[in-house]
Amino acid sequence: MTELDGSRALVVGGAGFVGSNLVLALLEGGADGVVVVDNLLSAERANVPDDPRVSFVEGSIASDGILDELDVDGLDYVFHLATYHGNQSSIANPLEDSAAYAPHISL
């Protein structure tokens, strides 16, 4: 028995390379449910494991509409791995870039 047995997790950015491998590890560790949120701008839907314990929501976590869709009751873990490839936008406009990942935090 592990800490993950029977747990539920949210993985933001779960269709990317790191996120999809985390989803696999959570499932292998005994998680009962994993919710994946990804806007697929720098990821592929095919990376999300085809498993009945996984639910996929396409969209940006920065969208209030996506937040309203999520069933967050009973979540045991939240992993925020959303990011874009490269860092050009963060260099050119760091405040706007950061708003894509933490829209409800004022800098």
Side-chain angles (χ1 to χ4, degrees):
M1 183 170 225
T2 70
E3 283 184 35
L4 296 174
D5 284 345
S7 66
R8 289 188 63 232
L10 168 65
V11 181
V12 179
F17 177 76
V18 174
S20 61
N21 281 285
L22 173 60
V23 172
L24 285 171
L26 291 167
L27 296 172
E28 290 170 3
D32 273 356
V34 180
V35 179
V36 173
V37 175
D38 203 299
N39 61 13
L40 301 179
L41 291 178
S42 57
E44 299 291 331
R45 173 67 174 94
N47 292 340
V48 178
D50 183 18
D51 187 293
R53 297 172 291 168
V54 176
S55 60
F56 178 75
V57 178
E58 183 175 348
S60 172
I61 195 64
S63 165
D64 287 337
I66 294 297
L67 293 174
D68 292 340
E69 281 185 47
L70 298 178
D71 176 17
V72 296
D73 290 335
L75 285 177
D76 299 294
Y77 303 98
V78 175
F79 301 91
H80 193 316
L81 304 173
T83 188
Y84 295 115
H85 290 295
N87 64 354
Q88 292 81 4
S89 63
S90 65
I91 291 170
N93 196 337
L95 294 179
E96 192 172 298
D97 187 67
S98 68
Y101 307 111
H104 305 291
I105 298 173
S106 299
L107 298 175

